[in-house]
């Protein structure tokens, strides 16, 4: 089955073609327009999607070497995300599906992130634990089968990606903050500043990152740039604090569930320190993560998951709605 995937939950306009669980093409256009604002401006993002969608989808079709009429189904992100940007993608996709007279399915963005791991290894077996770390979510899931997910723990406040983004802003870096902090951290001493690690000694599976961000803010208030500690040291210490907490709770989740496989997903899963530390910390566990380009927002994961559902005969009716606060379970 040939499926077109469309993703517009935030500031990436993305389209991809998937056929028999293989990605034939994937196009992602990241909106640079927001970098001057230090974060995504929803109104600008929606307008950009509307301007770009047609050409991005055309490109995906062309790159896949198919024609529009070969498409047998459309999968589009329906939530969670920004209301206006979700609407841009869903309205476009409904029109497309209507024109082609093909089925459409609204996809949960979080579920798609998790399933991006099957694009890294098609032999990935259920059950597995997933550390889902994006700009809006930090969650641990027990993934038992397609459609069967158990939440093991989540963040009380900020998500890990948010901690990177807010930390970057405090450090005077650009948006998105994760890659910026990662870059600045290179060569920095991660032991230079001991930032707080909320709940790290507790036996609960819960995260909190708002205190960490505040600690950085206070630290920078009294920071002496002529002293021994460089900005690279601070970035490395901040990144280490985030990764340290994520790993400790991931280990706890694996102990609790007794599974033998774990995956990471979402934009923060692109972080090299996190990828390396997960592998090093979980010796007897099979660890998997998507290619870098499939960690951050993309439509390949949407098309892949859409094909799984459409092949099972699951689709949405034409009047399905977006849901900016859509949950996974
Ligand atoms: O999954 P994603 O692309 O969008 C959401 O669904 O939110 O995740 C975006 C988040 C941003 O907070 C961004 O700073 C973070 O992922 N991110 C990273 C890296 N690349 C993206 N965080 C740490 N290290 C990275 N290399
Ligand atoms: Zn995402």
């Amino acid at each position: 089955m040939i499926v077109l995937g469309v993703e517009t939950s935030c500031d990436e306009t993305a389209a991809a073609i998937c056929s028999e669980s293989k990605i034939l093409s994937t196009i992602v256009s990241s909106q640079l327009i927001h970098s001057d604002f230090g974060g995504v401006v929803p109104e600008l993002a929606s307008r950009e999607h509307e301007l770009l969608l047609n050409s991005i989808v055309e490109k995906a079709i062309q790159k896949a070497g198919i024609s529009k009429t070969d498409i047998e189904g459309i999968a589009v992100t329906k939530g969670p995300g920004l209301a206006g940007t979700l609407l841009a993608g869903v309205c476009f996709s409904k029109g497309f599906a209507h024109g082609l007279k093909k089925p459409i399915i609204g996809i949960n963005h979080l579920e798609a992130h998790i399933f991006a791991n099957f694009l890294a290894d098609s032999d990935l077996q259920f059950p597995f634990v997933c550390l889902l770390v994006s700009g809006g979510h930090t969650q641990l899931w027990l993934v038992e089968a397609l459609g069967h997910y158990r939440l093991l723990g989540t963040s009380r406040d900020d998500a890990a990606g948010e901690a990177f983004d807010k930390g970057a802003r405090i450090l005077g870096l650009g948006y998105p903050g994760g890659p910026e902090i990662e870059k600045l951290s290179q060569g920095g001493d991660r032991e230079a500043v001991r930032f707080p690690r909320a709940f790290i000694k507790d036996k609960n599976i819960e995260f909190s990152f708002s205190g960490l961000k505040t600690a950085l803010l206070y630290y920078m208030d009294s920071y002496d740039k002529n002293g021994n500690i460089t900005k690279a040291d601070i970035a490395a210490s901040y990144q280490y604090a985030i990764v340290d907490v994520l790993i400790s709770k991931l280990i706890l989740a694996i102990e609790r569930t007794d599974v033998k496989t774990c995956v990471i997903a979402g934009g923060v899963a692109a972080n090299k320190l996190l990828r390396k530390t997960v592998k090093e910390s979980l010796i007897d566990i099979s660890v998997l993560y998507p290619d870098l380009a499939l960690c951050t927002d993309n439509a390949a994961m949407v098309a892949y998951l859409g094909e799984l559902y459409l092949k099972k005969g699951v689709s949405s009716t034409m009047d399905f709605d977006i849901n900016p606060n859509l949950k996974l379970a």
Side-chain angles (χ1 to χ4, degrees):
M1 182 175 206
I2 299 182
V3 173
L4 164 69
V6 174
E7 156 64 39
T8 61
S9 65
C10 193
D11 58 338
E12 260 90 27
T13 315
I17 303 287
C18 181
S19 174
E20 303 309 322
S21 299
K22 297 272 173 302
I23 300 303
L24 304 185
S25 67
T26 170
I27 311 278
V28 180
S29 170
S30 301
Q31 302 177 357
L32 302 175
I33 194 167
H34 308 285
S35 57
D36 292 346
F37 301 93
V40 178
V41 183
E43 200 43 50
L44 292 180
S46 313
R47 230 177 298 158
E48 282 286 298
H49 287 309
E50 277 159 18
L51 285 174
L52 284 175
L53 264 170
N54 206 31
S55 65
I56 298 285
V57 167
E58 286 293 342
K59 265 191 209 151
I61 292 170
Q62 226 174 54
K63 203 167 163 210
I66 60 165
S67 77
K68 208 176 282 183
T69 48
D70 293 328
I71 293 171
E72 297 168 281
I74 289 100
V76 58
T77 302
K78 66 174 179 182
L82 299 168
T85 64
L86 289 167
L87 264 180
V90 167
C91 290
F92 175 91
S93 302
K94 281 183 180 177
F96 204 90
H98 184 70
L100 287 178
K101 299 197 174 18
K102 297 294 176 192
I104 186 168
I105 177 153
I107 292 289
N108 184 317
H109 180 81
L110 305 177
E111 191 179 6
H113 268 308
I114 295 173
F115 275 74
N117 279 285
F118 285 93
L119 294 171
D121 181 1
S122 55
D123 289 331
L124 172 61
Q125 300 290 324
F126 299 110
F128 55 84
V129 161
C130 178
L131 172 67
L132 177 63
V133 269
S134 67
H137 295 80
T138 297
Q139 299 176 328
L140 274 157
W141 288 95
L142 175 62
V143 180
E144 292 170 318
L146 177 67
H148 294 267
Y149 316 116
R150 192 148 64 82
L151 185 62
L152 302 169
T154 186
S155 176
R156 277 195 191 182
D157 39 55
D158 293 353
E162 212 174 339
F164 273 111
D165 295 337
K166 288 177 176 170
R169 208 179 306 167
I170 294 168
L171 290 170
L173 305 171
Y175 177 86
E180 297 283 326
I181 289 188
E182 180 170 59
K183 211 183 329 154
L184 181 57
S185 295
Q186 280 165 19
D189 174 8
R190 68 185 196 181
E191 308 284 355
V193 187
R194 186 71 189 172
F195 284 115
R197 287 142 165 83
F199 308 137
I200 198 155
K201 295 236 156 64
D202 297 359
K203 290 291 169 202
N204 60 345
I205 305 183
E206 223 178 340
F207 303 92
S208 167
F209 291 106
S210 68
L212 172 64
K213 164 202 68 191
T214 310
L216 176 65
L217 193 65
Y218 287 153
Y219 184 83
M220 293 313 288
D221 273 350
S222 55
Y223 173 57
D224 172 11
K225 59 175 181 293
N226 299 315
N228 291 333
I229 295 179
T230 64
K231 272 214 171 172
D233 294 336
I234 301 169
S237 302
Y238 189 79
Q239 173 179 254
Y240 183 34
I242 297 174
V243 169
D244 213 7
V245 172
L246 293 175
I247 298 291
S248 74
K249 298 301 172 183
L250 175 58
I251 291 173
L252 208 54
I254 288 169
E255 282 169 7
R256 295 262 167 93
T257 51
D258 202 25
V259 297
K260 296 285 169 265
T261 308
C262 118
V263 308
I264 54 176
V268 181
N271 185 273
K272 293 187 191 69
L273 179 66
L274 177 62
R275 292 162 88 89
K276 182 168 161 270
T277 317
V278 172
K279 282 240 156 120
E280 287 171 356
S281 314
L282 300 169
I283 308 294
D284 296 325
I285 301 292
S286 151
V287 173
L288 191 64
Y289 33 72
D291 287 348
L292 289 180
L294 296 179
C295 288
T296 45
D297 288 349
N298 65 86
M301 62 186 192
V302 176
Y304 173 83
L305 183 60
E307 190 192 6
L308 288 188
Y309 276 116
L310 289 168
K311 273 186 145 181
K312 282 176 171 286
V314 181
S315 64
S316 305
T317 53
M318 264 303 176
D319 60 354
F320 81 90
D321 210 350
I322 57 145
N323 183 350
N325 300 312
L326 188 64
K327 305 276 184 283
L328 189 52

